[in-house]
Amino acid sequence: MRARVVAVALVTVAALVFGGAPARATPEGDPLDGTVSTPLLVDCSSITAKGREYARLHGITLCDADSTPASEPLRTEAVGGEECGNATLVMISRGGGVATLAWRVNSFTGPVVDLELDISASGRSDAVVRRFVDRTASLHPRGATAALLGVGRASATVSGTVQTFLATCRIAPAGVRIHAR
């Protein structure tokens, strides 16, 4: 018990010295909430002639679409890909084994016109996959859901694809872990 009190005191002092609030954590070490951001990676081959014109008009250098003549193929990346935005997943313990899963997508390449996003969550008592499909143009689409995962360690991942006005982008899969209380 004394070691726990000393550890909490050290975390509080560190927060005061270095800024920020101490993270809320359970005795098991997992936080009660977590956030992960992950890039959207462009598929350069998905950029159409209209997409190239949009890139030229707005100075978007992705895949060199703003400067490559229409008669030439666009530059493609051998590894990884260029970022065309990001996706954020937030997981929060709400009590009773319930967790809230909220997501947001941010595009650097114009409005999102089509979104297919999967959130997979698992915990002590259940595993769920929630699919979000949105074909409404938006610069920052977002959504949320709740899942009964049971008390204990719980995790969630986000993945999917996003079609912007310029190109198709893949959400690089990423995950977050919390303690559901």
Side-chain angles (χ1 to χ4, degrees):
M1 180 67 177
R2 187 173 196 295
R4 183 179 295 157
V5 172
V6 170
V8 170
L10 288 174
V11 169
T12 304
V13 169
L16 292 172
V17 172
F18 296 110
R24 298 181 306 154
T26 63
E28 295 82 15
D30 290 326
L32 295 173
D33 56 68
T35 302
V36 65
S37 277
T38 187
L40 303 178
L41 302 174
V42 69
D43 172 5
C44 293
S45 68
S46 70
I47 299 176
T48 64
K50 285 184 180 183
R52 285 183 184 210
E53 185 58 31
Y54 183 83
R56 275 190 278 287
L57 287 172
H58 296 282
I60 300 171
T61 61
L62 199 66
C63 305
D64 289 337
D66 64 328
S67 59
T68 304
S71 59
E72 294 181 26
L74 293 175
R75 176 178 52 81
T76 59
E77 299 298 315
V79 179
E82 295 180 59
E83 291 185 28
C84 54
N86 57 49
T88 302
L89 175 63
V90 178
M91 187 176 193
I92 302 170
S93 175
R94 295 295 183 190
V98 175
T100 299
L101 304 160
W103 59 269
R104 178 183 168 135
V105 171
N106 181 36
S107 167
F108 304 153
T109 60
V112 172
V113 294
D114 192 1
L115 169 106
E116 292 187 15
L117 180 131
D118 291 322
I119 295 180
S120 302
S122 62
R124 179 164 278 168
S125 67
D126 201 6
V128 297
V129 175
R130 303 280 164 80
R131 174 161 276 220
F132 295 89
V133 176
D134 189 353
R135 291 184 169 76
T136 306
S138 173
L139 287 176
H140 308 289
R142 67 184 76 213
T145 188
L148 178 60
L149 302 173
V151 174
R153 183 172 283 171
S155 61
T157 59
V158 61
S159 61
T161 58
V162 174
Q163 175 68 46
T164 70
F165 194 76
L166 181 66
T168 300
C169 304
R170 179 181 53 84
I171 299 171
V176 64
R177 183 176 72 198
I178 67 166
H179 177 84
R181 56 186 158 113

